[in-house]
Amino acid sequence: ERDASLKRMLHGLDRSVHLAEQMLAYSRATVPGDASRRERVELENLLREAAEAIQPRLQERRCTVDVAVAPTAAGAAVIGDRQKLLSLVTNLLDNAVRYGPEGGRVQAEVRRDGGAAVLAVADQGPGIPSDLRERVFESYYRIPGTVGSGSGLGLAIVKNVAEEHGARVEIEDGPGKRGARVVVRFRAA
């Protein structure tokens, strides 16, 4: 019984730490960036760095992230605030792991599409109903009945950072109509 109590306490602490981190990230995402912090950022590098940053969550949930870099990804770079962009990518991956099944796979892709640098992250979770796809970008909004320890800030952070960088965010059905696929289209550098 003591082990179960300790496990509950640690889980509660993990949720509190995650919420505090998300609130701080949201605060940073909503403050206009300093133009002097803008630099050329390769999306492939950000994606690999974000995947490394969420390794503890991946191990905890026994999930994997498949990173696909399309042959057209050469030049899939954007001009922006590297830290904010890293926060965007990390939140996309973390959401996909958090809401996907234990032992699931997350598919992440970087490609160049004409004048756009595209980042897409797909999960195997329950998906996001089409009538709620705009609402999930609202701060603290969670889909009714959602299980898991989310804060309702991840996609709000993604949307704010994307908008600051002139990017467009869309939510689609995941591969095979399973899960959700979030696509961020930036103007390529």
Short mmCIF file of all heavy atoms in Angstrom, two decimals, residues 1-25:
data_model
loop_
_atom_site.label_atom_id
_atom_site.label_comp_id
_atom_site.label_asym_id
_atom_site.label_seq_id
_atom_site.Cartn_x
_atom_site.Cartn_y
_atom_site.Cartn_z
N GLU A 1 0.83 -1.19 0.00
CA GLU A 1 0.00 0.00 0.00
C GLU A 1 0.88 1.26 0.00
O GLU A 1 0.53 2.25 -0.63
CB GLU A 1 -0.93 0.00 1.21
CG GLU A 1 -1.91 1.13 1.12
CD GLU A 1 -2.99 1.03 2.18
OE1 GLU A 1 -3.50 -0.08 2.40
OE2 GLU A 1 -3.27 2.06 2.76
N ARG A 2 2.00 1.19 0.70
CA ARG A 2 2.89 2.35 0.72
C ARG A 2 3.44 2.65 -0.67
O ARG A 2 3.56 3.81 -1.06
CB ARG A 2 4.03 2.09 1.71
CG ARG A 2 4.95 3.26 1.81
CD ARG A 2 6.04 3.04 2.79
NE ARG A 2 6.99 4.15 2.65
CZ ARG A 2 8.04 4.30 3.35
NH1 ARG A 2 8.31 3.44 4.30
NH2 ARG A 2 8.84 5.30 3.15
N ASP A 3 3.77 1.59 -1.44
CA ASP A 3 4.27 1.78 -2.80
C ASP A 3 3.21 2.43 -3.68
O ASP A 3 3.52 3.31 -4.49
CB ASP A 3 4.70 0.45 -3.42
CG ASP A 3 6.01 -0.06 -2.84
OD1 ASP A 3 6.73 0.74 -2.21
OD2 ASP A 3 6.31 -1.25 -3.02
N ALA A 4 1.96 2.02 -3.52
CA ALA A 4 0.87 2.60 -4.31
C ALA A 4 0.69 4.07 -3.95
O ALA A 4 0.47 4.92 -4.82
CB ALA A 4 -0.42 1.83 -4.08
N SER A 5 0.80 4.39 -2.67
CA SER A 5 0.67 5.77 -2.22
C SER A 5 1.80 6.63 -2.77
O SER A 5 1.58 7.75 -3.24
CB SER A 5 0.65 5.82 -0.70
OG SER A 5 0.59 7.14 -0.25
N LEU A 6 3.00 6.10 -2.73
CA LEU A 6 4.16 6.81 -3.27
C LEU A 6 4.01 7.03 -4.78
O LEU A 6 4.30 8.12 -5.28
CB LEU A 6 5.44 6.03 -2.97
CG LEU A 6 6.74 6.68 -3.43
CD1 LEU A 6 6.94 8.04 -2.79
CD2 LEU A 6 7.92 5.77 -3.11
N LYS A 7 3.51 6.00 -5.46
CA LYS A 7 3.31 6.11 -6.91
C LYS A 7 2.29 7.19 -7.24
O LYS A 7 2.49 7.98 -8.15
CB LYS A 7 2.86 4.76 -7.47
CG LYS A 7 2.87 4.69 -8.96
CD LYS A 7 2.58 3.29 -9.44
CE LYS A 7 2.67 3.24 -10.95
NZ LYS A 7 2.48 1.89 -11.45
N ARG A 8 1.19 7.26 -6.49
CA ARG A 8 0.18 8.30 -6.69
C ARG A 8 0.77 9.68 -6.44
O ARG A 8 0.50 10.64 -7.16
CB ARG A 8 -1.04 8.07 -5.80
CG ARG A 8 -2.00 7.02 -6.32
CD ARG A 8 -3.31 7.02 -5.55
NE ARG A 8 -3.16 6.89 -4.11
CZ ARG A 8 -3.04 5.75 -3.44
NH1 ARG A 8 -3.06 4.61 -4.09
NH2 ARG A 8 -2.90 5.74 -2.14
N MET A 9 1.58 9.78 -5.38
CA MET A 9 2.21 11.06 -5.05
C MET A 9 3.15 11.52 -6.18
O MET A 9 3.13 12.68 -6.58
CB MET A 9 2.99 10.93 -3.74
CG MET A 9 2.80 12.09 -2.82
SD MET A 9 3.42 11.79 -1.16
CE MET A 9 5.09 11.30 -1.41
N LEU A 10 3.94 10.60 -6.69
CA LEU A 10 4.87 10.93 -7.76
C LEU A 10 4.11 11.32 -9.03
O LEU A 10 4.51 12.24 -9.75
CB LEU A 10 5.82 9.77 -8.05
CG LEU A 10 6.87 9.52 -6.96
CD1 LEU A 10 7.67 8.26 -7.27
CD2 LEU A 10 7.80 10.72 -6.82
N HIS A 11 3.02 10.63 -9.32
CA HIS A 11 2.19 10.96 -10.48
C HIS A 11 1.62 12.37 -10.32
O HIS A 11 1.62 13.16 -11.27
CB HIS A 11 1.08 9.93 -10.66
CG HIS A 11 0.21 10.21 -11.85
ND1 HIS A 11 0.65 10.06 -13.13
CD2 HIS A 11 -1.07 10.65 -11.92
CE1 HIS A 11 -0.32 10.39 -13.96
NE2 HIS A 11 -1.37 10.76 -13.26
N GLY A 12 1.13 12.69 -9.12
CA GLY A 12 0.59 14.03 -8.86
C GLY A 12 1.66 15.10 -9.00
O GLY A 12 1.41 16.17 -9.56
N LEU A 13 2.85 14.81 -8.53
CA LEU A 13 3.97 15.73 -8.65
C LEU A 13 4.33 15.93 -10.12
O LEU A 13 4.55 17.06 -10.57
CB LEU A 13 5.18 15.22 -7.88
CG LEU A 13 6.43 16.10 -7.90
CD1 LEU A 13 6.12 17.46 -7.30
CD2 LEU A 13 7.55 15.42 -7.13
N ASP A 14 4.35 14.85 -10.90
CA ASP A 14 4.64 14.94 -12.33
C ASP A 14 3.61 15.81 -13.03
O ASP A 14 3.96 16.65 -13.85
CB ASP A 14 4.65 13.53 -12.94
CG ASP A 14 4.99 13.56 -14.42
OD1 ASP A 14 6.02 14.18 -14.78
OD2 ASP A 14 4.23 12.96 -15.22
N ARG A 15 2.35 15.66 -12.68
CA ARG A 15 1.29 16.48 -13.28
C ARG A 15 1.48 17.95 -12.92
O ARG A 15 1.31 18.83 -13.76
CB ARG A 15 -0.09 16.01 -12.83
CG ARG A 15 -0.50 14.70 -13.46
CD ARG A 15 -1.92 14.38 -13.16
NE ARG A 15 -2.74 15.34 -13.88
CZ ARG A 15 -4.04 15.45 -13.74
NH1 ARG A 15 -4.68 14.69 -12.91
NH2 ARG A 15 -4.73 16.33 -14.43
N SER A 16 1.83 18.21 -11.67
CA SER A 16 2.04 19.60 -11.23
C SER A 16 3.22 20.24 -11.94
O SER A 16 3.14 21.39 -12.38
CB SER A 16 2.27 19.65 -9.71
OG SER A 16 1.12 19.22 -9.04
N VAL A 17 4.30 19.49 -12.08
CA VAL A 17 5.48 20.01 -12.78
C VAL A 17 5.14 20.27 -14.24
O VAL A 17 5.50 21.32 -14.79
CB VAL A 17 6.67 19.03 -12.65
CG1 VAL A 17 7.80 19.39 -13.62
CG2 VAL A 17 7.19 19.01 -11.22
N HIS A 18 4.42 19.35 -14.87
CA HIS A 18 4.04 19.53 -16.27
C HIS A 18 3.16 20.77 -16.43
O HIS A 18 3.38 21.56 -17.36
CB HIS A 18 3.32 18.28 -16.80
CG HIS A 18 2.85 18.43 -18.22
ND1 HIS A 18 3.72 18.46 -19.28
CD2 HIS A 18 1.62 18.58 -18.74
CE1 HIS A 18 3.04 18.63 -20.40
NE2 HIS A 18 1.76 18.70 -20.10
N LEU A 19 2.20 20.95 -15.54
CA LEU A 19 1.32 22.12 -15.63
C LEU A 19 2.13 23.41 -15.48
O LEU A 19 1.95 24.36 -16.25
CB LEU A 19 0.22 22.07 -14.58
CG LEU A 19 -0.73 23.27 -14.55
CD1 LEU A 19 -1.43 23.45 -15.89
CD2 LEU A 19 -1.75 23.11 -13.42
N ALA A 20 3.04 23.44 -14.52
CA ALA A 20 3.88 24.64 -14.33
C ALA A 20 4.73 24.92 -15.57
O ALA A 20 4.84 26.07 -16.01
CB ALA A 20 4.77 24.47 -13.10
N GLU A 21 5.31 23.85 -16.15
CA GLU A 21 6.11 24.03 -17.37
C GLU A 21 5.25 24.54 -18.52
O GLU A 21 5.67 25.42 -19.27
CB GLU A 21 6.77 22.70 -17.76
CG GLU A 21 7.90 22.29 -16.84
CD GLU A 21 8.41 20.88 -17.12
OE1 GLU A 21 7.71 20.08 -17.80
OE2 GLU A 21 9.51 20.57 -16.65
N GLN A 22 4.04 23.99 -18.65
CA GLN A 22 3.15 24.41 -19.73
C GLN A 22 2.71 25.87 -19.55
O GLN A 22 2.62 26.62 -20.51
CB GLN A 22 1.92 23.50 -19.82
CG GLN A 22 2.22 22.13 -20.38
CD GLN A 22 2.65 22.19 -21.82
OE1 GLN A 22 3.81 22.42 -22.13
NE2 GLN A 22 1.72 21.98 -22.71
N MET A 23 2.43 26.26 -18.31
CA MET A 23 2.01 27.63 -18.05
C MET A 23 3.14 28.60 -18.39
O MET A 23 2.91 29.66 -18.97
CB MET A 23 1.55 27.79 -16.61
CG MET A 23 0.22 27.09 -16.35
SD MET A 23 -0.27 27.10 -14.62
CE MET A 23 -0.76 28.81 -14.46
N LEU A 24 4.37 28.24 -18.05
CA LEU A 24 5.52 29.06 -18.38
C LEU A 24 5.72 29.13 -19.90
O LEU A 24 5.94 30.21 -20.46
CB LEU A 24 6.78 28.52 -17.70
CG LEU A 24 8.06 29.31 -17.89
CD1 LEU A 24 7.90 30.74 -17.38
CD2 LEU A 24 9.21 28.63 -17.16
N ALA A 25 5.61 27.99 -20.57
CA ALA A 25 5.75 27.96 -22.02
C ALA A 25 4.65 28.77 -22.69
O ALA A 25 4.89 29.49 -23.66
CB ALA A 25 5.73 26.52 -22.54
#
